[in-house]
Amino acid sequence: MLIRINSASLHGIDAYQVEVEVDISSGLPAFVIVGLPDAAVRESKERVRTALRNCGFDFPAKKIIINLAPASRKKEGSAFDLPIALGLLAYLGKVPAERLSSFIFVGELTLEGSLKAVRGALPFSLLVSRKKLSGLVLPARNAREASLVAAVRVFPVNHLLEVVKFLSGAEEVKPCSYSLEELIGETTLDVDFSEVRGQQQAKRALEVAAAGGHNLLMIGPPGSGKTMLARRLPTILPEMTFEEIIEVTQIYSAAGLLGERAAISERPFRSPHHTITDTGLIGGGNYPRPGEVSLAHRGVLFMDEFPEFSRQALESLRQPLEDGRVTISRVAGSLTYPCSFMLVAAMNPCADVFLGSGLEVNCSEQERRKYYSRLSRPLLDRIDIQIEVPQVKYQDIISRPAGEPSAEVRKRVSAARKKQLERFSGRKIFCNAGMSSRDIRQHCSLEPEASRLLETAMKRFGFSARAYDRILKVARTIADLAGEERLSAAAVAEAIQYRILDRF
C-alpha cells in the first residue's frame, strides 16, 4: 500500500516541496528511510514509532519504506516526523489518505506525541502560497510566524492526536488570525542618538550614511564613542517596509534564530567578534547556514577592531558588499543568500592603542601606514565614508546630552530615502549606494564649480575610479538631504572629506 503526504524542506532560505511516500508491505519487519536523509531524519523512525505507541496506536509489524522525493536533494532536520507518522496512521485507517495531499505538514514529534517547533515556518508558508495548496499544518509555536503570509491558511496544532481528529473531521482546528500589528509588534529600541555627547562631525557622517545606505569606517582612539555611535545607527534608519520584514524574517527563520518572535520588525544590528571565521561571516558549513552578512540583511553589520579580523574574512566581504548577495558553492551544490547591509567598521589609529589614548593622536605616519596596510585598497574603496572620531572633550563628557533625538534625524533620513525610491522607481535600487555607473552619470549632475573642485581633488589625492564613483554617490545623498537637484560644490567638498584614507 502506497500513501503520499506533502511536506517541505529548506534549500538555503527558500522552501521546496517534498513528497513523503510511505510504502507498507508484507515481509520481515523493517523501517527504512531513503531519499538522502541526514542523521536527524533517520532518527525520526524511533521518534515516530514511540510517539504512535504512546498515543495508543498499533505500530505496523511490516516492511515500511519511507521515500523523501525528490531523492536527489539532501533532507535535513526533524520536520518530517509529522508527515511520516500521518502516513502510517493512514495505513491504519485512522486518517483519510485523500486529505494528506491537500496540505503541507511539518513538525517534530516528542516521544509522547506533542509537536515541537521547527525552523523555516515562514518559507514553508510562502511555498504553500506559491503551490496554491489548501493550507499549512504545523506546530502551534510556529503559527504566528507562518501567518505573516496572509493568503495562506495556517492550522496550528499541539499534539499528534489533534491532527488525527482534524483530518478525520472529529475536531475543528481554526486557522490562525492575527493582525499585522500583533505579528510585527512595536519597536523596542532602548538607545537614542541624543545620548551621544559631542562628535558633531561623526553624527553628521552617520546621518549621511543612513540617508544613502553608505558603508562607513570610523577611526579613533579607544573611548571616543565609535561603538556607541554604531549602536545608535539603526535608530535613525527608515522603518522597515513589510517586504523587508518578510525578507529578513525568512533568513532568521531558516537559520532557526527567531526564538519567540513572530517576525523581525527592527533593522538587524550584528556585531561579530574579530576572531570569527570567514565561514561564520559569509555563511556555509557542512549544512550551510546564513552567515553574519546575511543576518545583517537590510540592517547594520558592525565590525569593531576592523584590522584585527583575519585577512581572509575581510577579503571575503568584497563580493557581498558589491553585489548584495553571497553565493556559497559546495560539492552538493550552491546556495545564494541575500546580504544587502550597511557595513559600519571601527578601528584605532594604530596598532598600539595607548598612542592614541589622549586628546591628541600620537601615532606617527609610518605607524598609521603599517596598521592601515592590513586593509586592502579594493576593500577600502568599497567603504564610501571614512571619518576620524576624536577623543571626547571634558566639557562634552560632563554636559547633559543635548543632541537631536533619533526621531528627528530619522525624519530627514526617511525624506531623503523617499526621494531615492522615487528616483529609482520600478528598479531594484533602494538607495543611492546601489547606483551603477550608468545611474551615476544620469543622476549626479555637477555644477561647474563642483566639477572643478572634484577634478582638483582627483589629481591631488590620486583617487581611483571607484573612489570617484563613491564620492559622487555620497554627494548625491548630501544633496538629497539638502533638497537640491544638482550637486553643489559644498556637497562635493563634504563628500571628499569623507575619504581620509585615500590621502595616506
Side-chain angles (χ1 to χ4, degrees):
M1 181 178 182
L2 180 64
I3 300 165
R4 292 185 174 90
I5 311 100
N6 285 326
S7 188
S9 187
L10 291 171
H11 181 73
I13 63 170
D14 296 313
Y16 65 95
Q17 188 170 348
V18 174
E19 192 174 51
V20 180
E21 298 178 318
V22 180
D23 182 77
I24 302 176
S25 59
S26 301
L28 293 174
F31 195 165
V32 181
I33 299 177
V34 297
L36 289 183
D38 73 346
V41 179
R42 290 194 298 269
E43 290 172 354
S44 68
K45 58 186 180 183
E46 302 302 332
R47 292 192 295 271
V48 170
R49 189 198 310 269
T50 307
L52 288 180
R53 285 177 175 168
N54 287 334
C55 289
F57 300 112
D58 294 326
F59 191 83
K62 294 180 177 289
K63 184 177 181 181
I64 303 170
I65 304 294
I66 309 291
N67 179 43
L68 306 177
S72 58
R73 283 186 166 182
K74 192 170 184 64
K75 319 301 185 307
E76 58 176 292
S78 54
F80 296 110
D81 290 4
L82 179 59
I84 290 173
L86 291 175
L88 298 175
L89 290 172
Y91 169 77
L92 296 173
K94 303 297 181 182
V95 297
E98 61 273 10
R99 294 202 65 188
L100 298 180
S101 59
S102 303
F103 304 90
I104 279 184
F105 299 90
V106 290
E108 176 185 339
L109 285 173
T110 65
L111 298 185
E112 55 89 25
S114 297
L115 285 166
K116 299 188 69 174
V118 295
R119 62 185 183 90
L122 179 57
F124 296 154
S125 188
L126 292 168
L127 174 66
V128 173
S129 178
R130 292 197 305 270
K131 296 292 184 180
K132 302 188 185 308
L133 296 171
S134 299
L136 174 64
V137 180
L138 81 174
R141 284 187 60 188
N142 293 121
R144 295 175 69 242
E145 172 195 343
S147 298
L148 280 170
V149 186
V152 174
R153 294 198 302 164
V154 176
F155 297 92
V157 288
N158 291 297
H159 199 278
L160 178 60
L161 292 176
E162 194 176 342
V163 184
V164 173
K165 292 176 183 178
F166 165 63
L167 292 174
S168 60
E171 186 176 294
E172 183 182 3
V173 176
K174 293 184 178 180
C176 287
S177 178
Y178 294 104
S179 67
L180 187 60
E181 291 74 18
E182 286 179 295
L183 291 171
I184 294 176
E186 297 181 359
T187 58
T188 56
L189 294 172
D190 56 355
V191 295
D192 195 89
F193 222 51
S194 62
E195 298 165 349
V196 181
R197 293 175 169 86
Q199 304 296 13
Q200 298 304 319
Q201 183 185 12
K203 287 192 282 189
R204 167 63 177 177
L206 259 70
E207 180 179 341
V208 173
H214 303 289
N215 301 318
L216 172 72
L217 173 63
M218 294 181 284
I219 305 170
S224 57
K226 302 185 295 295
T227 301
M228 186 179 189
L229 285 162
R231 291 192 179 279
R232 281 150 183 77
L233 179 57
T235 68
I236 65 172
L237 290 172
E239 293 183 359
M240 295 177 71
T241 64
F242 182 69
E243 290 73 17
E244 288 177 324
I245 290 172
I246 291 290
E247 288 178 11
V248 177
T249 302
Q250 189 174 353
I251 296 171
Y252 277 73
S253 177
L257 297 176
L258 272 182
E260 297 298 324
R261 295 171 292 182
I264 304 295
S265 56
E266 298 169 356
R267 294 195 180 273
F269 181 88
R270 304 293 298 185
S271 180
H273 193 261
H274 63 261
T275 56
I276 192 173
T277 63
D278 57 318
T279 299
L281 186 63
I282 300 301
N286 292 332
Y287 297 105
R289 294 285 188 274
E292 290 292 331
V293 295
S294 296
L295 296 175
H297 184 59
R298 302 299 181 195
V300 176
L301 177 67
F302 177 52
M303 300 180 70
D304 202 3
E305 306 296 344
F306 198 41
E308 303 300 327
F309 285 79
S310 71
R311 184 79 176 206
Q312 187 172 357
L314 290 176
E315 292 306 305
S316 66
L317 283 172
R318 288 162 55 178
Q319 184 248 337
L321 285 172
E322 198 73 24
D323 300 337
R325 62 182 183 275
V326 59
T327 301
I328 301 166
S329 297
R330 296 291 183 267
V331 175
S334 62
L335 294 171
T336 299
Y337 292 115
C339 59
S340 180
F341 60 93
M342 280 182 63
L343 173 65
V344 178
M347 59 184 286
N348 297 315
C350 51
D352 188 349
V353 297
F354 296 105
L355 292 175
S357 59
L359 290 177
E360 298 295 332
V361 176
N362 300 315
C363 307
S364 67
E365 185 173 338
Q366 182 179 0
E367 288 167 329
R368 284 176 180 260
R369 288 182 181 275
K370 182 178 179 182
Y371 195 51
Y372 297 163
S373 67
R374 301 185 186 184
L375 307 173
S376 69
R377 178 56 60 185
L379 176 61
L380 289 174
D381 276 349
R382 287 167 169 81
I383 300 178
D384 303 349
I385 299 177
Q386 307 155 3
I387 60 168
E388 288 186 331
V389 182
Q391 191 71 271
V392 183
K393 297 179 180 179
Y394 176 73
Q395 290 80 3
D396 292 327
I397 294 175
I398 63 174
S399 66
R400 290 186 176 182
E404 279 188 296
S406 295
E408 292 299 318
V409 182
R410 174 179 271 183
K411 288 179 182 178
R412 295 196 296 270
V413 170
S414 298
R417 285 283 186 105
K418 184 179 179 181
K419 292 179 183 178
Q420 295 163 39
L421 290 174
E422 293 172 354
R423 179 179 298 137
F424 307 118
S425 178
R427 302 178 57 194
K428 291 185 177 180
I429 300 177
F430 304 99
C431 54
N432 288 333
M435 285 194 292
S436 65
S437 297
R438 181 182 298 176
D439 295 317
I440 292 172
R441 290 193 298 271
Q442 181 178 352
H443 301 294
C444 296
S445 176
L446 291 163
E447 293 181 354
E449 186 179 353
S451 180
R452 290 192 295 271
L453 175 63
L454 185 54
E455 181 182 3
T456 301
M458 289 288 293
K459 292 177 179 178
R460 180 175 178 181
F461 299 118
F463 291 143
S464 67
R466 184 181 282 118
Y468 172 81
D469 285 349
R470 301 283 171 173
I471 290 171
L472 290 179
K473 289 181 182 182
V474 174
R476 177 70 271 168
T477 300
I478 295 168
D480 288 340
L481 285 168
E484 300 171 351
E485 288 301 319
R486 299 188 70 188
L487 306 188
S488 64
V492 171
E494 184 177 351
I496 290 172
Q497 75 168 352
Y498 292 143
R499 303 293 304 182
I500 63 170
L501 288 187
D502 290 329
R503 305 168 197 174
F504 286 95

